[in-house]
Amino acid sequence: GHSAPSLYRESCLLLVFYPLKMSILAYNGAAMIAMAGDGCVGIAADTRLGAQAQTVSCNFQKLHRITPTCYVGLAGLATDVTTLAKTLAFRKNMYELREERKLKPKTFSAMLSTLLYEKRFGPYFCEPIVAGLNPDNTPFLSGMDLIGAPVFASDFVVSGTCTANLFGTCESLYRPNLGPDELFETLSQALLASVDRDALSGWGGIVHIITKDGVTTRELKGRQD
């Protein structure tokens, strides 16, 4: 048999020669939540841009406005986040020119899902979430994987490198029919509590609350460690 020190030495050698594999989706780090309220919907994300454990910036925007009542959060590889955000802005403009009507959140979600699936053999390394208000002021939430397989929710959707933490905090703090201020508080607490247990996300946050009267945006201060 091997002694404990020699086993430890062998395991260290294995780590040197066979580094742990990492998903490219986790390279830059992200944490985001979209949550439904009563006549309102909220979307929140952290602002860290990393290169694995190194922090490059703490004001990287992962949430993008599509229409006044629809936002998309893009979690994944930062280069693809930027590319996809610009492609989506182009597709949205083309839709409104061609159709001569405003893009609804449900339609946008289908458009995004199709765009990702078109590229399934060389995908965008992004796992998006969509939050919006339908024309009748009911919340719309969807999330999808990198090839566009969608999931629709009536309470909340999450994405990023600490989804287990986000699910736990959201399930603890979420209540149905939250007003705009309660929704902001719930989203903020869920996000900040989750990123404190994840090394790849955090360093500040941003929250958008969408109502029929407009969008309220607030920035969050997070731990800088």
Side-chain angles (χ1 to χ4, degrees):
H2 291 283
S3 66
S6 72
L7 278 174
Y8 175 71
R9 257 198 316 278
E10 283 171 24
S11 63
C12 287
L13 283 169
L14 281 171
L15 282 174
V16 170
F17 294 116
Y18 302 103
L20 297 172
K21 291 284 191 290
M22 178 208 74
S23 162
I24 196 64
L25 286 162
Y27 183 79
N28 298 113
M32 53 187 63
I33 316 166
M35 194 177 277
D38 182 18
C40 58
V41 68
I43 187 166
D46 72 317
T47 52
R48 178 183 183 270
L49 171 66
Q52 292 176 322
Q54 179 186 2
T55 299
V56 177
S57 162
C58 37
N59 62 355
F60 183 65
Q61 294 307 312
K62 301 166 192 179
L63 305 181
H64 301 273
R65 176 181 145 138
I66 302 301
T67 70
T69 57
C70 180
Y71 276 68
V72 64
L74 302 171
L77 191 64
T79 49
D80 284 357
V81 165
T82 309
T83 305
L84 198 51
K86 290 184 176 176
T87 306
L88 289 170
F90 167 74
R91 288 278 183 105
K92 173 255 181 187
N93 290 337
M94 287 303 295
Y95 174 91
E96 292 187 348
L97 280 168
R98 193 183 300 116
E99 299 282 331
E100 295 183 353
R101 57 184 164 147
K102 292 296 176 193
L103 183 61
K104 289 185 276 201
K106 188 177 179 181
T107 315
F108 170 73
S109 180
M111 177 200 284
L112 173 54
S113 181
T114 308
L115 173 64
L116 292 171
Y117 193 67
E118 279 172 11
K119 291 273 193 289
R120 64 192 176 279
F121 298 119
Y124 289 115
F125 293 109
C126 269
E127 294 188 329
I129 59 174
V130 177
L133 276 185
N134 293 315
D136 61 354
N137 286 329
T138 54
F140 174 85
L141 298 177
S142 75
M144 53 200 84
D145 68 358
L146 77 173
I147 57 164
V151 61
F152 303 99
S154 57
D155 46 9
F156 53 83
V157 287
V158 304
S159 187
T161 49
C162 60
T163 49
N165 307 11
L166 291 164
F167 271 121
T169 50
C170 288
E171 282 167 10
S172 301
L173 298 173
Y174 174 78
R175 287 182 291 110
N177 303 318
L178 293 165
D181 292 336
E182 294 172 303
L183 184 62
F184 164 72
E185 198 62 38
T186 306
L187 268 173
S188 306
Q189 295 296 342
L191 183 74
L192 291 173
S194 300
V195 298
D196 281 352
R197 288 282 176 180
D198 180 38
L200 298 177
S201 58
W203 286 63
I206 188 161
V207 184
H208 302 291
I209 304 294
I210 306 161
T211 65
K212 68 179 193 307
D213 303 317
V215 180
T216 308
T217 301
R218 294 187 180 96
E219 291 184 0
L220 305 176
K221 235 173 135 177
R223 283 174 61 130
Q224 305 282 304
D225 60 356

